[in-house]
Amino acid sequence: MTATGTQNSDVPVLIVGAGPVGLALAGDLGWRGIRTMLVEKSDGEIRQAKMDMVGIRSMEYCRRWGIVPWVESAGYNRDYPQDCAWVTNLNSHEFGREFFPAPRAEKSPPQSPQKRERCPQNFFDPVLRRFAERSGLCSLRYETELIGFIEHEDKVVATLRDSRSGKEETVVASYMVGTDGGASTVRRRLDIPMDGPEALTYTTNIIFRCDGLEKLHRMRPAYRYIFIGLEGTWATLVAINGRDQWRFSLVGDSERRAYTDEELSAAIVRAVGREFNFEILSILPWVRRQQVARRYGTKRVFIAGDAAHLTSPTGGFGMNTGIQDAVNLSWKLAAKIEGWGGEHLLRSYEAEQRPVGLRNVAEATDNLKRMLNPRVAQPPKELFENSPEGDRARKEFGDRYTETMRREWFSIGIHLGYMYEHSPIIVPDGTPQPPDTVQTYQPTARPGSRAPHVWLAEGKSTLDLFGREFVLLRFGQDAPSGKGFVTAAQKRGVPLRVETILDPGAGDVYERRLVLVRPDGQSAWRGDQEPDDVLQVIDVVRGSASDNVLPVANTGRTVS
């Protein structure tokens, strides 16, 4: 304690905000042996699940961390169908639907050992908290608020306040990361502006409980219903636990307005199409945004997740992009703390992840526009009539809307096909950039891309080789030995392991006899022979080769 009664603590990384991104960052750093302090100004209870789908790339990280069984057993009913349907109301007409198997029955695609998982935030946050605490290296403190901080050349000095006792504490950290949401204190203190529209729609979420809702309507069960009336798309209903809890979203426009409890209850009754008994558990007015931070941080203070990018939830990209932020940043922080990361390494976080944020946020907004398109092309009144003309109109409208919405439901390219095209710590191989697509994904080991999944044995993927260190993959027994990489890595103190893969199919996918994969699972270099200057390659990928530093991209790629 100091003379003023303020306690002092030292920690390598201070993380502000214990949502899923902050918890994942603390967990990944702990998995790498790095101590963290994670503070959250709320009590940690999830009263509104802001996300409900853990994407396929996030599940690959969960596989790496060994927590897939925790996600699968977190609490969602994995036998509940995942269909998406568009209707007038649940007791009237269905325009169409996209059929999906229940989570337990859904299979992994050929491009990954994992699949997406339905795990809303009220289930996923406790899983990630357990992960963050597993290593014993994370000091997790709820009801603790960041009051301010000063960034020095060699440290960050932050002031925290315990909201229960009012006591303040000074924390001296090597680095600080703000994962503290859209209203990020860290981002505002850094005076980083957000670019993009501030309000796409004002929406109100209502979590309500109703046991046996499926018995009160005529529709087949679905995970998500979209409601379309004469005014166009006006609401959605999502299964929160696949049992008795639902999230009803009253989708407004760009004008803010408040609703009474009676109005919200009436909207739920309208959507179901009959009077019924239900219990409102929580209400959350919120605004959809399409914004990305102009910068992702400074030398020692960074932002990630919603603090860095705000997106419409249409597509499920927000939290999953944030988890990718965390994994990208984690190994670089660890490298700097352990002493082998170069002076430019942390700069690459913004260079790599900001274009991904721009890309994903823009795609989510386009999904929103497709969902709300019936507002633009106002539905004809025949859609809501019980007549042969109504049947024909509903069939025509439903087929068209179903095809329009398909891009949102099938987006493997967004989750797995991101490319760090202008990264200063990637060594290009001269091959042209492949198309950046949404609905399809062609695996490639081209530098800057996610190292592809190939099954090597029963239950063992190439992805299982990556995580803690650099891995040099040798394809074929006659491939170059990689001794030059080993020597160069040892000289620079870079953790590196050599793996020989004899499966010819894997060699075909990776296309070169040698591929260097980073700790986050991205391809960093590839070739058929070791380069003439292996030490230069090692210096580039660890962020110490100044002549390889490229300007940070300020715009996202066009996604087809």
Coordinates of all heavy atoms in Angstrom, one line a residue, residues 5 47 79 93 123 141 154 168 250-251 263 289 308 322 358 370 375 394 422 425 433 444 454 476 483 496 522 529 545:
G5 N -2.9 5.1 0.5 CA -3.8 4.0 0.7 C -4.2 3.3 -0.6 O -5.1 2.4 -0.7
R47 N -27.4 -10.9 -18.7 CA -28.8 -10.8 -18.7 C -29.4 -10.7 -20.1 O -30.6 -10.9 -20.3 CB -29.2 -9.5 -17.9 CG -28.8 -9.6 -16.5 CD -28.9 -8.3 -15.7 NE -28.5 -8.4 -14.3 CZ -27.3 -8.3 -13.9 NH1 -26.3 -8.2 -14.7 NH2 -27.0 -8.5 -12.6
D79 N -30.2 -30.8 -29.5 CA -31.1 -31.5 -30.4 C -32.2 -30.6 -31.0 O -33.1 -31.1 -31.7 CB -31.8 -32.7 -29.6 CG -30.8 -33.7 -29.1 OD1 -30.0 -34.2 -30.0 OD2 -30.8 -34.1 -27.9
H93 N -48.9 -17.7 -42.0 CA -48.2 -18.2 -43.2 C -46.7 -18.2 -43.1 O -46.1 -17.3 -42.5 CB -48.6 -17.3 -44.4 CG -50.1 -17.2 -44.6 ND1 -50.8 -18.3 -45.1 CD2 -51.0 -16.2 -44.4 CE1 -52.1 -18.0 -45.2 NE2 -52.2 -16.7 -44.8
F123 N -24.1 -18.9 -22.1 CA -23.5 -20.2 -21.9 C -22.0 -20.1 -22.2 O -21.1 -20.7 -21.6 CB -24.1 -21.2 -22.8 CG -25.5 -21.6 -22.5 CD1 -26.5 -21.6 -23.5 CD2 -25.9 -21.9 -21.2 CE1 -27.8 -21.9 -23.3 CE2 -27.2 -22.2 -21.0 CZ -28.2 -22.2 -22.0
R141 N -11.2 -10.0 -12.0 CA -11.9 -9.1 -11.0 C -13.1 -8.5 -11.6 O -13.0 -7.7 -12.6 CB -10.9 -8.0 -10.5 CG -9.6 -8.6 -9.9 CD -8.8 -7.5 -9.3 NE -7.5 -8.0 -8.9 CZ -6.6 -7.2 -8.3 NH1 -6.8 -5.9 -8.1 NH2 -5.4 -7.7 -8.0
D154 N 8.0 2.5 -21.5 CA 8.3 1.1 -21.2 C 7.2 0.4 -20.3 O 7.3 -0.7 -19.9 CB 9.6 1.0 -20.4 CG 9.5 1.8 -19.1 OD1 8.6 2.7 -19.0 OD2 10.4 1.6 -18.2
E168 N -9.2 2.4 -4.7 CA -8.5 2.5 -5.9 C -7.2 1.7 -5.9 O -6.6 1.5 -4.8 CB -8.2 3.9 -6.3 CG -9.5 4.7 -6.6 CD -9.2 6.1 -7.1 OE1 -8.1 6.5 -7.2 OE2 -10.2 6.8 -7.4
L250 N -37.3 -6.4 -31.8 CA -38.2 -5.5 -32.5 C -37.3 -4.5 -33.3 O -36.6 -3.7 -32.7 CB -39.1 -4.7 -31.5 CG -40.2 -3.8 -32.1 CD1 -41.1 -4.6 -33.0 CD2 -40.9 -3.1 -31.0
V251 N -37.2 -4.7 -34.6 CA -36.2 -4.0 -35.4 C -36.8 -2.7 -35.9 O -37.7 -2.7 -36.7 CB -35.8 -4.9 -36.6 CG1 -34.7 -4.2 -37.4 CG2 -35.3 -6.3 -36.2
E263 N -46.4 -2.2 -25.1 CA -46.1 -2.2 -26.6 C -45.2 -3.4 -26.9 O -45.5 -4.1 -27.9 CB -45.5 -0.9 -27.0 CG -46.4 0.3 -27.0 CD -45.7 1.5 -27.4 OE1 -44.6 1.8 -26.8 OE2 -46.1 2.2 -28.3
R289 N -24.6 -0.7 -35.6 CA -23.7 0.2 -36.2 C -22.8 -0.5 -37.2 O -22.6 -1.8 -37.2 CB -22.8 0.8 -35.1 CG -23.5 1.5 -33.9 CD -22.5 2.1 -33.0 NE -23.2 2.5 -31.7 CZ -23.8 3.7 -31.5 NH1 -23.8 4.6 -32.5 NH2 -24.3 4.0 -30.4
A308 N -13.1 -2.3 -31.1 CA -12.4 -2.0 -32.3 C -13.3 -2.0 -33.5 O -13.1 -1.3 -34.6 CB -11.2 -3.0 -32.6
G322 N -13.9 -10.8 -33.1 CA -13.1 -10.4 -31.8 C -12.3 -11.5 -31.3 O -11.2 -11.2 -30.8
L358 N -12.9 -4.4 -41.3 CA -13.6 -3.7 -42.3 C -14.4 -4.6 -43.2 O -15.6 -4.4 -43.5 CB -12.6 -2.9 -43.1 CG -12.0 -1.6 -42.4 CD1 -10.7 -1.2 -43.2 CD2 -13.0 -0.5 -42.4
R370 N -30.2 -7.1 -46.8 CA -31.0 -8.2 -47.5 C -32.1 -8.6 -46.6 O -33.2 -8.8 -47.1 CB -30.0 -9.4 -47.8 CG -29.1 -9.2 -49.0 CD -28.3 -10.4 -49.3 NE -27.1 -10.5 -48.4 CZ -25.9 -9.9 -48.7 NH1 -25.8 -9.3 -49.8 NH2 -24.9 -10.1 -47.9
R375 N -38.8 -4.0 -46.7 CA -39.2 -2.7 -46.3 C -39.0 -1.8 -47.6 O -39.8 -0.8 -47.7 CB -38.3 -2.1 -45.2 CG -38.5 -2.8 -43.9 CD -37.6 -2.1 -42.8 NE -37.8 -2.7 -41.5 CZ -37.3 -2.2 -40.4 NH1 -36.5 -1.1 -40.5 NH2 -37.5 -2.8 -39.2
R394 N -47.2 -15.7 -52.1 CA -46.3 -16.1 -51.0 C -45.2 -17.0 -51.5 O -44.1 -17.0 -51.1 CB -47.1 -16.8 -49.9 CG -47.8 -15.8 -48.9 CD -48.4 -16.5 -47.8 NE -49.6 -17.3 -48.1 CZ -50.8 -16.9 -48.3 NH1 -51.1 -15.6 -48.1 NH2 -51.8 -17.7 -48.6
H422 N -1.4 -7.7 -46.7 CA -0.3 -6.7 -46.6 C 0.3 -6.7 -45.3 O 0.8 -5.6 -44.8 CB -0.9 -5.3 -46.9 CG -1.6 -5.2 -48.3 ND1 -0.9 -5.3 -49.5 CD2 -2.9 -5.1 -48.7 CE1 -1.7 -5.2 -50.5 NE2 -2.9 -5.1 -50.0
I425 N 4.7 -9.0 -41.4 CA 5.4 -10.1 -40.9 C 5.1 -11.4 -41.7 O 5.2 -12.5 -41.2 CB 5.1 -10.3 -39.4 CG1 3.6 -10.5 -39.1 CG2 5.6 -9.1 -38.6 CD1 3.3 -11.0 -37.7
Q433 N -3.2 -13.2 -55.3 CA -4.2 -13.4 -54.3 C -5.4 -14.1 -54.8 O -6.0 -13.6 -55.8 CB -4.6 -12.0 -53.7 CG -5.6 -12.0 -52.6 CD -6.0 -10.7 -52.1 OE1 -5.4 -9.7 -52.6 NE2 -6.9 -10.6 -51.2
T444 N -5.9 -23.0 -48.7 CA -4.6 -22.6 -49.3 C -3.6 -22.3 -48.2 O -3.9 -21.8 -47.2 CB -4.7 -21.4 -50.3 OG1 -3.4 -21.1 -50.8 CG2 -5.2 -20.2 -49.6
V454 N -6.1 -30.8 -42.8 CA -6.0 -32.1 -43.5 C -6.0 -33.2 -42.4 O -5.2 -33.0 -41.4 CB -4.8 -32.3 -44.4 CG1 -4.8 -33.6 -45.1 CG2 -4.7 -31.2 -45.4
G476 N 6.9 -34.9 -47.0 CA 7.6 -35.9 -47.6 C 9.0 -36.2 -46.9 O 9.6 -35.2 -46.4
K483 N 17.0 -27.7 -41.2 CA 18.0 -27.4 -40.1 C 18.4 -25.9 -40.2 O 18.7 -25.3 -39.1 CB 19.2 -28.2 -40.4 CG 19.0 -29.7 -40.0 CD 20.3 -30.5 -40.3 CE 20.1 -32.0 -39.9 NZ 21.4 -32.8 -40.2
L496 N 10.5 -22.8 -32.2 CA 10.2 -23.4 -33.5 C 10.3 -24.9 -33.4 O 11.2 -25.5 -32.8 CB 11.1 -22.9 -34.6 CG 10.8 -23.4 -36.0 CD1 11.1 -22.3 -37.1 CD2 11.8 -24.6 -36.4
Q522 N -1.5 -19.3 -38.9 CA -1.5 -18.7 -40.2 C -0.2 -19.0 -40.9 O 0.9 -19.0 -40.3 CB -1.6 -17.2 -40.2 CG -2.8 -16.6 -39.5 CD -4.1 -17.0 -40.2 OE1 -5.0 -17.7 -39.7 NE2 -4.2 -16.6 -41.5
Q529 N 12.5 -25.2 -51.2 CA 13.8 -25.2 -50.6 C 13.9 -24.2 -49.5 O 13.2 -23.2 -49.5 CB 14.9 -25.0 -51.7 CG 14.8 -25.9 -52.9 CD 15.2 -27.3 -52.5 OE1 16.0 -27.6 -51.5 NE2 14.7 -28.3 -53.3
A545 N 12.4 -7.1 -38.9 CA 13.0 -6.7 -40.2 C 12.3 -5.4 -40.6 O 11.3 -5.5 -41.2 CB 12.9 -7.8 -41.2

